[in-house]
Amino acid sequence: MITIDKISLGSYQGQEVYQYTLQNSIGFKVSVLNLGGIITQIIVKDKHDMPKNVVLGYKDFETYIGNGAYAGAIVGRTSGRIANATFQIDGETYHLDKNNGENSLHGGVAGLTHQLFQVETLADGITLRYHSPDGEGGYPAAVDFEVTYKITEANALAITYTATADARTYINLTHHNYFNLAGDSAVNGDEQLLQIDADKVCELKDGLIPTGKFIDVTHTAFDLRQPKLLKEGIAEGHPQFAITRAYDHPFVLNPHSGLSQKPQVVLHSPHSGITMKAYTTQPVAVIYTGNYLDDVPVFDAFSDEKEKSTANTRYAGVAIELQDYPDGINQPAFGTKIVEKGTVYKQESIYKFFNN
């Protein structure tokens, strides 16, 4: 049986901030804020049957506000960077927030990460709703967003994104959890094994904008078709890392028929024995190894009350952003489609957790 608890954490911009905790009968637990749809914890039992929080986060919701890590949050209207913070639809140019140099990042300053959602409680989860008015953040069309979180007795978290617009627009939603399946701050995030069903990645240029070209992963640090320890891949290096420091690239997922029985991404912690398998309808997995997490507020310890250091460890967790191509609307080679008036944008990602 799935239970759902709701507590108030305080107020923000005159509205209550609530945390909703979804839990199954064997202790799998997911906590979500109505602020930005932020997942503050995912509790999974490790190989010793001990509960571990496997995502990076904060105890105080205020620490998420204005935080450049985007930890645990819904990202939109668009995820990733948009070159020069502009795009065109039907010959009209739209100017977005410039919040990453000359580019727009993760929906800008008025993105979904920063909004308070209305919440409906379901039997096995919650649905978050937000109405974004025409012109918010510079984007065209008024859009009604819905994001549903559901959990199962088999320790799976399903996130479904839907949106309907009153005019043609561009939408690219994702979720920005940083995973450290060790669930222990003494073991760094680059001590995880990552496997991705992807034969190519998008080449990036300065500003981390895709060039529209692809890199064959064969015989490179990007070849994660077999499990690779992240620290070994980072140490192996690649000319692209001169731009990104480590992994911060869109991996082009090999074609699947919907939510296949085969996971597109598998993450494993040898320390805890926890494995996460991710399945998605999205075409891309942006893998970001937390290359600049030492520049953001220090995350709370996962499983204990250890004294905090003055900075996060670089590569403390890995973000697995299941999404469409970043800057896709400006890159004809990606074949990104805009959302038509009145049609339903829909994507789904499922994360299944195991211990062994």
Side-chain angles (χ1 to χ4, degrees):
M1 179 180 177
I2 307 300
T3 61
I4 302 172
D5 293 323
K6 172 185 174 182
I7 61 171
S8 174
L9 301 182
S11 62
Y12 173 62
Q13 294 183 341
Q15 298 184 55
E16 285 291 300
V17 175
Y18 293 102
Q19 178 171 276
Y20 296 80
T21 298
L22 322 177
Q23 183 170 342
N24 70 12
S25 63
I26 55 175
F28 176 64
K29 187 186 301 184
V30 179
S31 294
V32 183
L33 304 183
N34 63 329
L35 173 63
I38 293 169
I39 291 178
T40 59
Q41 63 175 2
I42 298 177
I43 303 296
V44 184
K45 291 184 179 179
D46 68 6
K47 60 186 177 183
H48 302 297
D49 207 36
M50 296 297 295
K52 298 289 186 179
N53 182 15
V54 298
V55 294
L56 305 182
Y58 303 99
K59 293 179 181 177
D60 299 322
F61 78 85
E62 292 91 348
T63 314
Y64 290 98
I65 298 169
N67 188 322
Y70 296 87
I74 298 168
V75 172
R77 292 186 184 192
T78 58
S79 51
R81 292 167 178 82
I82 296 180
N84 301 310
T86 61
F87 63 82
Q88 289 188 344
I89 293 179
D90 297 332
E92 183 171 351
T93 300
Y94 295 93
H95 298 272
L96 311 179
D97 299 327
K98 290 185 177 181
N99 63 329
N100 187 249
E102 290 299 305
N103 305 317
S104 185
L105 175 64
H106 290 335
V109 297
L112 296 181
T113 297
H114 313 293
Q115 305 300 336
L116 284 158
F117 289 73
Q118 299 298 313
V119 180
E120 177 187 358
T121 301
L122 311 173
D124 54 355
I126 57 174
T127 294
L128 286 74
R129 296 186 176 90
Y130 176 73
H131 176 79
S132 178
D134 181 24
E136 186 169 53
Y139 289 88
V143 182
D144 290 309
F145 291 97
E146 288 191 0
V147 182
T148 296
Y149 300 77
K150 292 184 177 181
I151 68 169
T152 71
E153 289 290 352
N155 290 1
L157 166 65
I159 304 179
T160 303
Y161 312 87
T162 61
T164 306
D166 68 355
R168 305 182 86 208
T169 193
Y170 177 40
I171 297 172
N172 181 12
L173 303 181
T174 192
H175 208 276
H176 208 291
N177 280 310
Y178 291 95
F179 293 99
N180 185 327
L181 300 184
D184 190 330
S185 55
V187 179
N188 210 42
D190 59 358
E191 297 282 354
Q192 300 175 98
L193 289 159
L194 181 61
Q195 182 177 7
I196 306 175
D197 186 13
D199 297 332
K200 57 187 179 181
V201 299
C202 296
E203 180 186 69
L204 303 180
K205 60 185 178 181
D206 288 344
L208 283 74
I209 298 294
T211 65
K213 299 178 181 179
F214 301 98
I215 298 170
D216 185 335
V217 304
T218 305
H219 304 307
T220 76
F222 293 115
D223 193 347
L224 304 180
R225 291 173 294 189
Q226 296 298 318
K228 179 176 287 189
L229 198 65
L230 283 169
K231 66 186 301 182
E232 293 180 354
I234 294 169
E236 180 180 348
H238 190 279
Q240 283 276 291
F241 290 179
I243 299 171
T244 59
R245 186 175 279 179
Y247 295 101
D248 194 0
H249 287 77
F251 284 71
V252 182
L253 299 173
N254 290 329
H256 287 256
S257 178
L259 290 170
S260 169
Q261 294 300 309
K262 180 182 179 182
Q264 288 103 323
V265 181
V266 180
L267 187 67
H268 174 73
S269 168
H271 176 77
S272 68
I274 296 172
T275 299
M276 182 186 75
K277 298 181 179 180
Y279 310 74
T280 188
T281 57
Q282 302 270 28
V284 164
V286 174
I287 302 301
Y288 171 53
T289 43
N291 312 333
Y292 293 89
L293 288 181
D294 45 343
D295 293 336
V296 304
V298 178
F299 293 107
D300 292 300
F302 303 145
S303 58
D304 55 32
E305 294 297 329
K306 293 178 182 177
E307 183 178 355
K308 291 184 181 181
S309 65
T310 57
N312 292 314
T313 304
R314 192 175 294 176
Y315 319 132
V318 56
I320 300 172
E321 304 162 58
L322 304 173
Q323 59 174 84
D324 206 339
Y325 292 89
D327 199 39
I329 195 166
N330 291 321
Q331 303 282 352
F334 294 162
T336 297
K337 297 179 180 179
I338 64 173
V339 176
E340 299 292 339
K341 175 182 177 179
T343 62
V344 178
Y345 166 99
K346 183 177 182 180
Q347 298 290 347
E348 184 174 7
S349 297
I350 298 174
Y351 309 84
K352 296 182 179 179
F353 295 87
F354 307 84
N355 55 24
N356 51 4

